[in-house]
Amino acid sequence: MDTMPKKLLIIGLVWPESNSSAAGSRMMQLVRLFLDHGMQIVFGSAAQQGEFSDWLELPGLTTRQLQLNDSSFDDFVTAYNPDMVLFDRFVSEEQFGWRVAAQCPDALRVLDTEDLHCLRLARQHAVKQQRMFTEDDLFSDTAKREISAILRCDLSLIISEYEMKILTEVFKIDPALLFYLPFLQDLRKGDLFKTWPAYEQRSGFMFIGNFYHEPNKDAVRYLKEQVWPQIRVKMPEAVISIYGAYVPAMIQQMHQPDSGFLIMGRVASAEAAIKSAKVMLAPLRFGAGLKGKLLEAMLYGTPTVTTSVGAEGMQHECLWNGLVADDNPEQIANAAVQLYNDTLLWTAAQSQGAFILAAKFDRALYESRFINHISLVISGIKKHRRNNFIGSVLSYNAFLATKYLSRWIEEKNKSNYQ
């Protein structure tokens, strides 16, 4: 029997913006992979499309505007009858998972976690309290929601090996419910590295990131207040350009040309901006998952200085596309100056980035195994779900609790429009 899913429904928390965020890029990587394997895809979201949302009218792909707490979704999903449903982040599973389970019980339910929200928020909480993150910080209400969603699904895609370890060793999740799937970069063209500008053709430092994302706001504030002044002492003419979508006023106010700190905002081409810089600075103090900016730096031949949080899950054989510095702002500043001025170190870092890309993020490393694993889980779905009885209990309770709350909200909304 052919168990390869033919009809896929993706429920996005938001409409992907691959030019604005790593999450958007990740989603479009998955979309292209599924399309390449002949799947018919409907991408739906209850969010409103934005000015910079990706163009999703591709062959084999259609879109659907979804409504929260509305039985119209039940009619739609029943009529479409997908073989597989992919939830974009655990919140989407909370909103629609019980409806999918009720209307399409045979559909494979897959969660793309993007990153472990409970890890990111726990680290953020520790930074705000000016203390070290500990394992105890993980056990939050967010973790209870996120782990519940993972258990309710048949399979969860985990982007970081470190997060695989947390889920299996700290939260004791059955590895059969998880699949490690990092960024999927198509390296088959082989000419990527030939387009890199040389060391002598580049100048300046840079940072890039979506400023809806709290780790990016914190990193730029930390960079401006504590790291950059020390760099300027050692390099008085140094300039850093800060790029990114949705820059808030607090970041815009940091624009100070006299001190070489330039807030550039959204950029038409992230590739051009990254390639023009000599070094990317990403002093991330908290976060989770994989950092899209650091992957792009490898793709475009730009060495980086980051923290252990930034490099987490991205190093290979202890190698990095630059330097990892953690202890204090002075150490980060020293690493930045050293990497910027040492041609041999810079060139070696660039080569290590190319090695990491090929060894860890080439789509060809994962594609066949991932598609085959989906077919394998589908072919044994009854046993797979029986082995995850706790997930069935959580699904049952979530169905009862969410169903009646959602129905109440739906009726309330109807009365408001009458």
Side-chain angles (χ1 to χ4, degrees):
M1 182 178 67
D2 182 9
T3 56
M4 178 67 187
K6 298 178 176 61
K7 296 168 69 176
L8 168 64
L9 170 63
I10 300 177
I11 301 179
L13 181 63
V14 296
W15 296 93
E17 293 185 16
S18 56
N19 290 328
S20 300
S21 71
S25 297
R26 159 70 163 194
M27 178 52 66
M28 292 308 297
Q29 289 172 0
L30 292 176
V31 166
R32 293 187 184 97
L33 185 149
F34 292 132
L35 287 175
D36 288 347
H37 285 268
M39 293 190 197
Q40 173 187 331
I41 304 177
V42 173
F43 189 104
S45 177
Q48 296 299 311
Q49 292 198 43
E51 178 183 357
F52 301 101
S53 298
D54 286 303
W55 176 254
L56 295 179
E57 299 303 323
L58 303 172
L61 174 65
T62 57
T63 60
R64 174 93 181 190
Q65 184 67 48
L66 304 179
Q67 300 296 323
L68 289 174
N69 302 306
D70 196 297
S71 57
S72 62
F73 177 83
D74 300 345
D75 298 332
F76 153 68
V77 77
T78 301
Y80 182 52
N81 193 26
D83 303 301
M84 173 175 156
V85 178
L86 177 71
F87 301 102
D88 168 30
R89 286 164 276 202
F90 78 91
V91 177
S92 295
E93 190 280 334
E94 288 182 328
Q95 294 167 337
F96 293 100
W98 68 276
R99 291 183 182 272
V100 170
Q103 304 303 323
C104 304
D106 296 330
L108 184 73
R109 299 190 296 276
V110 180
L111 172 62
D112 184 34
T113 57
E114 295 284 358
D115 66 10
L116 279 186
H117 292 53
C118 63
L119 173 62
R120 171 161 43 86
L121 293 175
R123 284 173 166 164
Q124 180 177 355
H125 183 64
V127 166
K128 285 185 175 180
Q129 293 189 339
Q130 298 182 329
R131 61 174 178 80
M132 296 294 292
F133 160 77
T134 70
E135 193 175 282
D136 288 342
D137 293 317
L138 289 169
F139 295 89
S140 62
D141 288 346
T142 298
K144 293 172 186 175
R145 294 171 57 195
E146 194 163 22
I147 299 304
S148 294
I150 289 172
L151 289 171
R152 286 193 295 265
C153 287
D154 300 310
L155 193 66
S156 289
L157 309 182
I158 310 302
I159 203 169
S160 164
E161 291 167 316
Y162 179 74
E163 294 180 2
M164 286 285 287
K165 185 176 180 180
I166 287 178
L167 290 169
T168 55
E169 297 183 7
V170 178
F171 291 113
K172 311 300 181 184
I173 302 294
D174 184 349
L177 298 176
L178 309 174
F179 191 91
Y180 168 62
L181 195 70
F183 289 134
L184 304 172
Q185 193 62 45
D186 191 348
L187 301 178
R188 289 173 293 184
K189 295 180 181 179
D191 59 355
L192 178 70
F193 311 134
K194 297 178 183 178
T195 66
W196 289 349
Y199 175 88
E200 296 78 11
Q201 296 173 295
R202 299 164 176 259
S203 65
F205 295 94
M206 66 91 65
F207 174 93
I208 191 167
N210 186 324
F211 286 98
Y212 278 158
H213 198 50
E214 288 297 326
N216 289 330
K217 286 192 282 191
D218 177 79
V220 171
R221 183 167 53 242
Y222 180 59
L223 184 57
K224 175 68 169 63
E225 295 174 357
Q226 300 190 50
V227 177
W228 189 246
Q230 299 195 50
I231 292 176
R232 287 280 286 193
V233 168
K234 298 175 175 64
M235 299 176 62
E237 302 302 318
V239 173
I240 184 168
S241 299
I242 309 295
Y243 301 97
Y246 308 109
V247 180
M250 61 166 285
I251 300 296
Q252 291 174 350
Q253 291 167 2
M254 296 180 186
H255 182 71
Q256 291 183 349
D258 290 345
S259 63
F261 203 88
L262 308 179
I263 307 299
M264 308 300 289
R266 183 183 288 274
V267 62
S269 170
E271 177 178 353
I274 295 171
K275 279 184 176 179
S276 68
K278 193 165 285 186
V279 172
M280 176 185 287
L281 290 181
L284 297 159
R285 298 196 295 171
F286 61 89
L290 301 180
K291 314 307 179 292
K293 62 176 67 61
L294 299 178
L295 179 80
E296 288 184 314
M298 294 182 204
L299 285 170
Y300 305 139
T302 305
T304 60
V305 173
T306 190
T307 61
S308 57
V309 169
E312 182 179 276
M314 301 190 74
Q315 290 177 287
H316 185 71
E317 297 180 355
C318 298
L319 296 176
W320 183 242
N321 176 43
L323 297 173
V324 178
D326 262 324
D327 290 352
N328 52 53
E330 183 180 7
Q331 187 181 45
I332 296 172
N334 288 339
V337 172
Q338 181 187 9
L339 185 59
Y340 193 98
N341 290 325
D342 189 330
T343 308
L344 292 179
L345 178 64
W346 188 94
T347 303
Q350 188 184 62
S351 297
Q352 288 173 185
F355 176 75
I356 293 169
L357 279 176
K360 203 174 184 74
F361 299 111
D362 189 348
R363 169 173 149 168
L365 297 172
Y366 306 96
E367 182 173 0
S368 295
R369 188 161 58 91
F370 176 47
I371 295 299
N372 291 338
H373 189 73
I374 289 175
S375 296
L376 183 65
V377 174
I378 291 176
S379 66
I381 193 63
K382 289 185 179 179
K383 182 179 179 180
H384 183 82
R385 289 177 175 172
R386 188 166 61 244
N387 290 341
N388 180 29
F389 186 71
I390 298 301
S392 299
V393 171
L394 290 171
S395 293
Y396 177 77
N397 289 333
F399 178 83
L400 292 178
T402 312
K403 173 183 177 181
Y404 293 108
L405 175 61
S406 182
R407 296 288 190 236
W408 178 81
I409 293 174
E410 184 175 0
E411 291 303 317
K412 186 173 181 292
N413 290 339
K414 286 180 181 178
S415 64
N416 289 338
Y417 287 106
Q418 289 177 351

